[in-house]
Amino acid sequence: MAAEFFDLAAGCEAGGSANFAFCKYIQRNFQYMLRQITSWYSERLQKDMPVAVYGSYGFALLLVPTAAADYLEYERFQLIAALEPFINSGKVKVFSVNSINNESWMNNGMDPRDKVMRHQQFNSYIFEEVVPFVKTNTSYETPVIICGASFGALHSMNLFLKRPDLLNGVIAMSGVYDLTEYTKGFYNDDVYFNSPQHYMPNLTDHAILEEIRKSSHIHIFSGSGAYEDPNASRSFAGILYSKGINYELDVWGSEWKHDWETWRAVLPHYLDTRF
């Protein structure tokens, strides 16, 4: 019987044929964090793109990596472990996607026009492939909150503001929202339309603004320690304020630097107190 139990538990983790109700049962009663790795060939990116999934139910938290990292970054730096109580209790189900920043803004050998094209393809991958995958593995009604730290914060904010009909909110940690911080002087219309600091002041589309205003989960966090830029968060929050968009600006003290120790403290705190 014990062997059968652990075979079924392994089936939950592997994403195999284990009964979904059983997976929920062992997660709730045995504090067993379900972890599944899946991938598919992305037509938008023309490559296999893996996704790590943690948990079995709860609202969906979609994690975007930092600068040049991958889909397991949040696990390696123990942020997933910090979220484990919320995953095991069924408050949240976490989806962590891969980055293509090494094929875009972090690749010094690429033509910048190709970099921004790759950025646009990543946006399409999230909207047209990842969000449907999340909905299939939760439900159509399940809220999806996108979250990232550092460069992942810019991506997350940009993706939310572009498609607030698909994404229900954003947690942006330690970000700057001006894409030209990463483009090394290159600027064109595609950069403009992926740089929230640039396009949001000029956004006048009433339907999009109203969709953004519906969200009660626009969280902008910054520390004030080493390598943080709290003024970038304050500046962007001011733009949202000018558009009548509700948001939370949360600036912590000088002991909170631009590093994983900060993000491991912030994100569990937000899941505990904001959701």
Side-chain angles (χ1 to χ4, degrees):
M1 182 67 181
E4 182 181 357
F5 175 92
F6 286 110
D7 285 345
L8 285 167
C12 292
E13 182 167 316
S17 59
N19 181 275
F20 179 70
F22 176 79
C23 293
K24 289 175 68 175
Y25 171 79
I26 63 169
Q27 179 179 330
R28 177 178 292 157
N29 292 281
F30 294 91
Q31 296 299 290
Y32 180 95
M33 185 176 72
L34 303 182
R35 175 186 182 272
Q36 301 176 32
I37 305 295
T38 189
S39 68
W40 64 87
Y41 185 81
S42 167
E43 293 296 332
R44 280 87 188 164
L45 295 172
Q46 294 292 293
K47 61 182 292 186
D48 283 323
M49 291 293 287
V51 178
V53 184
Y54 307 89
S56 60
Y57 55 106
F59 78 86
L61 182 68
L62 177 58
L63 295 178
V64 181
T66 63
D70 64 9
Y71 69 108
L72 293 177
E73 176 189 37
Y74 288 101
E75 181 178 322
R76 283 196 305 276
F77 286 95
Q78 300 177 355
L79 191 144
I80 296 297
L83 300 183
E84 191 167 348
F86 306 101
I87 295 169
N88 285 343
S89 69
K91 188 170 194 177
V92 66
K93 183 172 183 175
V94 178
F95 298 79
S96 185
V97 298
N98 216 11
S99 166
I100 51 82
N101 289 328
N102 281 327
E103 303 169 23
S104 181
W105 301 114
M106 299 291 108
N107 188 329
N108 293 328
M110 287 180 70
D111 186 297
R113 291 166 295 186
D114 294 330
K115 293 181 182 183
V116 74
M117 182 181 299
R118 198 64 171 154
H119 186 150
Q120 303 258 64
Q121 291 168 345
F122 178 73
N123 292 350
S124 295
Y125 160 72
I126 295 294
F127 297 143
E128 298 173 34
E129 299 183 39
V130 173
V131 172
F133 170 78
V134 170
K135 293 294 189 180
T136 298
N137 286 273
T138 54
S139 72
Y140 180 79
E141 297 80 16
T142 298
V144 182
I145 305 296
I146 193 164
C147 173
S150 193
F151 198 1
L154 188 155
H155 276 297
S156 297
M157 184 63 72
N158 183 48
L159 289 161
F160 165 70
L161 293 171
K162 286 184 174 301
R163 292 299 304 270
D165 57 319
L166 293 179
L167 300 168
N168 301 95
V170 57
I171 303 171
M173 303 184 293
S174 303
V176 298
Y177 305 97
D178 179 348
L179 184 57
T180 63
E181 294 277 339
Y182 297 94
T183 65
K184 299 186 176 181
F186 178 74
Y187 188 80
N188 66 3
D189 284 350
D190 291 330
V191 171
Y192 170 87
F193 283 112
N194 284 284
S195 179
Q197 190 80 21
H198 285 91
Y199 66 73
M200 278 303 295
N202 302 317
L203 180 62
T204 58
D205 188 303
H206 179 74
I208 294 175
L209 285 169
E210 283 298 290
E211 200 69 40
I212 294 170
R213 290 173 184 139
K214 288 180 184 177
S215 178
S216 57
H217 288 295
I218 302 175
H219 305 283
I220 303 169
F221 165 84
S222 177
S224 300
Y227 304 106
E228 287 283 69
D229 188 355
N231 286 333
S233 293
R234 293 186 181 105
S235 175
F236 187 67
I239 293 170
L240 297 183
Y241 178 82
S242 73
K243 295 294 180 180
I245 295 168
N246 291 320
Y247 63 90
E248 176 188 19
L249 172 64
D250 192 15
V251 178
W252 290 12
S254 60
E255 69 272 30
W256 300 100
K257 58 186 180 179
H258 195 89
D259 207 350
W260 288 97
E261 182 179 357
T262 296
W263 306 326
R264 284 194 299 267
V266 172
L267 192 52
H269 173 66
Y270 276 27
L271 293 192
D272 187 38
T273 60
R274 272 65 167 179
F275 292 87

